Amino acid sequence: MNVPMSWLKQYVDIDVDIKTFEDRMTMSGSKVEKIEESGKEITRVVAGKIIEVSSHPNADKLRIMQVEIGGEKPLQIVTAATNVQLGDVVPVALDGATLAKGLVIKSGKLRGEVSEGMFCSVEELGFDEKDIEDAPHNGVYVFNRPITLGSDVKPYFGLGEVVVEYEITSNRPDCFSILGIAREAAATFNKPFHFPEIKVNEVDGDAMGMASVEIKNDKLCPRYAARIIKNVKVGPSPKWLKDRLISAGLRPINNIVDITNYMLLEFGQPMHAFDYDKLAGHSIIVRNAADGEKMKTLFGDEITLDSSMLVIADQEKPVAVAGVMGGEDTKVTDETTTILFECANFNGYSIRQTSKKLGLRSDSSIKYTKGLDPNTITLALERAAQLISEVGAGEVVKGVIDVYPVKREKLTISYDIKWINKFLGTDLPEEEMIGYFKALEFDVNQQAKTVTIPTYRPDVTMMADLAEEVARLYGYDRIMPTLERGKPTIGRKNFEQLVCDDIRSFMSMFGIHGALTYTFESPKVFDKLNLDETSPLRNTLKITNPLGEDFSIMRTTTLNGLLSSLSTNYNRRVEDAALYEIGKIYVKDEDGQLPKEVKKLTMGMYGRKVDFFTLKGVIESLLKKLHVSKTEVTRNSELEFMHPGRCANLTINGVYAGYFGEIHPQTAKNYDLEVKTYVAELDLQVLLDSITQDITFKPLPKYPSTARDIAMLVKEEVLVGAIEKTIKERSGKLLEKVELFDVYQGKQIEDGYKSVAYKLTFRAEDRTLTDEEVQKVMKKVLNGLEMNCGAKLRD
C-alpha cells in the first residue's frame, strides 16, 4: 500500500520527522516497507523565461537563447528545439543537473558557442506524454500556468512527494486505504483523526425512479448501492487530482475513471461507472452467470462465464464480472451523458476464484479478496459524488439506490482490565486502556465493561485481540519481559525422531551420505524402472496444477530419486558412491481424498568393493544397531527392476519389511549406470515396530563352550539361509552361535552342488556340556539338514 505523506496529512496532523514516523508506525503494527521520494533523481531543474533569441552562427538548426531564471545573470542556452519562442517559460536543467534515466547535464560548447544548461521535455523529467495533458510531442515543455522564475519545477509536476510503502497483513483490510492508514497514524501518535467532510450538491430528480437494483444472490453480494450522474462531461481531471494519483502510483486517465481510482485509494473501495443509456431497462441485476454465457471485457476480449461466477447484468445480458472487470458494451466514453455510478460489496472468495478462472486480475479484484466492509459503501459513494460535482464532471441526481439485504452488525466484546494486564505482563490503569480503545474508534461502555468494534475491523473478535490492540499502542518495546506462567514443559524428540537420528549416525559411520530427492515425479519413471503396465506402483495420485509433466504425480517408490542421484555421481566420474534417504511415498487411498504417507529408508551404492553382500552386511549391522531380531531373508525374483537372481526380501517377525539387491541390467542401462548398482527399500514403520527397547544384559558365562564343524554337500540352489534356519530350529537352546566359514565349488565337487561348512558353538548356562549331549544335538541337526535341505556330510 503506497501512501503519499501530503495526502495522509489531510486527515491527521503528523508533526514528526519521517524516520520517527517510520519507526513508530512499524512498532504499532503498520510495517513500513520503504520510503521513496517521487522525482528524487531530478535535481537542479528550475523555471526559466526566454528573453532573447538569436541564430547560431555555425549551425542552421541551432538557436542561441538568453534565459532569465530570477535575480541571477541570464543563462545562455543553445537548443535545437523548434517549439519554444521568445517569452516562453520552460524547465531549465542547470549545470550539474540530473534527469531521468541517470542523465547528467554539464555546461559546454555546441558548435563553438557556450551552452550553460538544457531545456527539458516531460520525458526528461520522468513522464510520458500521456501523463501530462499539455505536453508537446517530442518537444520542450512550455508552462501554461504561472510559476516563479528560478523556482524548482518539481512541485509543478507533482514531484517531490514523500511516499511510504506499507506491508499490510491480510487480516487488516481496513488498512488497504489512505483513510485506514490515517486512522492507524492518528491512534499511534495520539492525534485527532479528521474524516473528510462529505457534502453532495444534488440536482432535482429521483435516482430510484430512474434505475432499479436487484440482488439475486445475497451471499455473494451483501450490498449494492448506486447514484445517477447526468450532464456528464468526460475530460481531464484537475491538477490536484492527477498529482494525488501519480504520487500513489496510478496514471490519470479522465475525470470519471480518476475519481473511481481516487476512491480505490482513499476508501479502499472499488467503484464502477456504467453508461446509463446503454443499460437495457436501466436495470442492474446481480446474479450468477449461466454456463457458457459470454461477455466482452473493457479490453475487448470475449470471455466465457460459468454458473459459479457472479455478474452484474441488465435485463438482457451481463455488463460486468462482479468485482473483477467491467464490460465493453456499457463502458463510459466521450459521448456518454449520463452514468450510473455503482459501489458494491462482494464475497472475497468468490471474486478470487472468478479472477483465477478467467485469468483476469484487476486492482478491484485484489481489494475485494481482502474482505471489505459493506458499511463503507455509501460513504465512498457519497464522497465520489461530491468529487464529481466539485470537478465539474457532471450533476448528481437526488437520491441513492441502496440494496442491503444482509447487514453486517457491530460486534460487542467484554473486557477485563486484570486479565489483559496479566495476559500482557503489564500494570496499566483502566483509563489508559480505554484511551487506546477510543483512539481506535472503538465504542466503550465503562459500566458494562464492553467494547463495540467498528465493522471495518473484522480482526478483533475476542479479549485477546483487545489485549493486542493495547500492546501495540502502548508499545511492545515498553512491555517488560516476564516469566511464563504456565506449567513448564521440556521439548524432546519422539521415538521415531530418535531412531532416525540413530540411522543417520549409523549411515555416516559407514560412509553412506544422506540424500533428499523430489516427492513429485514424472509418470515416465515407471518406464525407466521397467514396471509392468498393471503394477500397483503406477496407481499414483496426480497433481491438480503441476509445474509440468516432470512434476505431475506423487511418487509411489523412492527408488527413482536415489537411482537418478547415483547416475549423476557416476556420470561425473565418482568411482564409489553410497547414498541413503529417509523419505515418504504416497499410496493412493481409494476411499479417501488424501494419500497414505509411508516412510521409507532407501539405500543405494556402487563401487569397486561393493557387491550384494556389502549391502546385506550394512542392513544386518543396522538391524543389530537398532536391536531388531527375528529377521529372515528370502529370495525375490518378481520385481521387474531388480536382478532376478540377486534380490532378496527382508521380513521381520513374519512381516514384510522391504527388499534389497542388485538392480536389473536393463534398469541400470535406463539410468546410464554402467556399473553394478545395489539398492534397498525398507519400510521405516516396520523397523520402528520391531525395535526391542527393553535390553536385557546377561552375566559372563560360567561354563565353557564346545564347538563342532560340519561340512556338507547341497544342491547349488539351496540357500544358506535355509540351512541356518534348520540348524537353529534343530539345535534348541544349547546353540550359542552358528558361523558360515566356507563355500566351495570346484573339481572335487559334483556339478550342480556346492560345499558348505559351518562352525556350531554350544554352551549351557548351568553346566559343562558332555560330549554325549553335543552329539545328540548334532545328530538332530544332521537329520534335519538331510530332510529339509538334501544335505550330505562330506567325507
Side-chain angles (χ1 to χ4, degrees), residues 243-298:
D243 289 346
R244 285 276 172 89
L245 295 178
I246 290 171
S247 65
L250 295 181
R251 184 170 67 86
I253 297 175
N254 60 51
N255 48 13
I256 301 300
V257 175
D258 291 350
I259 287 172
T260 63
N261 285 336
Y262 192 90
M263 291 300 99
L264 189 70
L265 294 170
E266 187 177 52
F267 278 80
Q269 176 63 52
M271 303 183 73
H272 187 69
F274 296 103
D275 189 320
Y276 172 80
D277 294 319
K278 294 177 182 177
L279 290 171
H282 298 154
S283 298
I284 289 292
I285 303 170
V286 185
R287 61 172 173 83
N288 287 77
D291 286 326
E293 199 167 16
K294 298 183 182 296
M295 190 195 85
K296 270 192 177 182
T297 69
L298 287 172

Side-chain angles (χ1 to χ4, degrees), residues 690-755:
S690 305
I691 293 174
T692 302
Q693 299 188 56
D694 297 328
I695 309 301
T696 302
F697 293 93
K698 293 183 178 180
L700 291 174
K702 296 180 180 180
Y703 301 97
S705 63
T706 182
R708 295 290 188 273
D709 293 343
I710 56 172
M712 67 196 85
L713 288 175
V714 293
K715 288 185 178 181
E716 210 171 10
E717 62 269 16
V718 176
L719 301 177
V720 294
I723 297 174
E724 290 182 6
K725 183 178 180 181
T726 299
I727 291 173
K728 291 175 181 178
E729 289 176 350
R730 291 281 178 160
S731 299
K733 296 181 179 179
L734 295 182
L735 181 67
E736 184 177 66
K737 186 164 53 174
V738 56
E739 299 172 87
L740 175 68
F741 66 84
D742 183 51
V743 178
Y744 174 73
Q745 286 178 285
K747 295 179 181 179
Q748 301 171 357
I749 303 298
E750 183 181 349
D751 289 343
Y753 283 83
K754 60 184 175 183
S755 172

Side-chain angles (χ1 to χ4, degrees), residues 233-244:
K233 297 171 185 166
V234 179
S237 298
K239 183 178 183 301
W240 70 266
L241 181 54
K242 289 181 177 180
D243 289 346
R244 285 276 172 89

Side-chain angles (χ1 to χ4, degrees), residues 545-600:
N545 54 342
L547 296 174
E549 186 184 13
D550 289 345
F551 302 96
S552 61
I553 61 169
M554 301 185 78
R555 67 183 180 186
T556 53
T557 173
T558 54
L559 198 58
N560 171 69
L562 213 60
L563 285 177
S564 298
S565 298
L566 289 173
S567 175
T568 300
N569 280 273
Y570 176 76
N571 288 286
R572 291 182 180 177
R573 300 184 181 181
V574 178
E575 293 184 345
D576 301 280
L579 301 173
Y580 80 93
E581 179 182 12
I582 299 175
K584 292 179 180 178
I585 65 168
Y586 301 87
V587 181
K588 194 172 182 180
D589 185 359
E590 302 298 340
D591 297 329
Q593 294 183 348
L594 296 177
K596 295 177 182 177
E597 300 181 16
V598 182
K599 278 194 174 181
K600 296 286 187 177

Side-chain angles (χ1 to χ4, degrees), residues 289-307:
D291 286 326
E293 199 167 16
K294 298 183 182 296
M295 190 195 85
K296 270 192 177 182
T297 69
L298 287 172
F299 299 135
D301 301 322
E302 186 174 74
I303 57 176
T304 302
L305 310 170
D306 64 47
S307 58

Side-chain angles (χ1 to χ4, degrees), residues 514-554:
L516 182 63
T517 60
Y518 288 112
T519 56
F520 293 167
E521 292 185 332
S522 166
K524 295 177 181 178
V525 303
F526 301 128
D527 295 329
K528 291 180 73 174
L529 291 171
N530 297 326
L531 286 177
D532 187 84
E533 291 297 329
T534 60
S535 172
L537 294 179
R538 289 183 179 269
N539 187 19
T540 61
L541 197 74
K542 294 178 175 59
I543 308 301
T544 303
N545 54 342
L547 296 174
E549 186 184 13
D550 289 345
F551 302 96
S552 61
I553 61 169
M554 301 185 78

Side-chain angles (χ1 to χ4, degrees), residues 656-669:
Y656 176 75
Y659 62 87
F660 64 92
E662 181 183 336
I663 64 171
H664 196 284
Q666 182 58 48
T667 305
K669 185 178 180 181

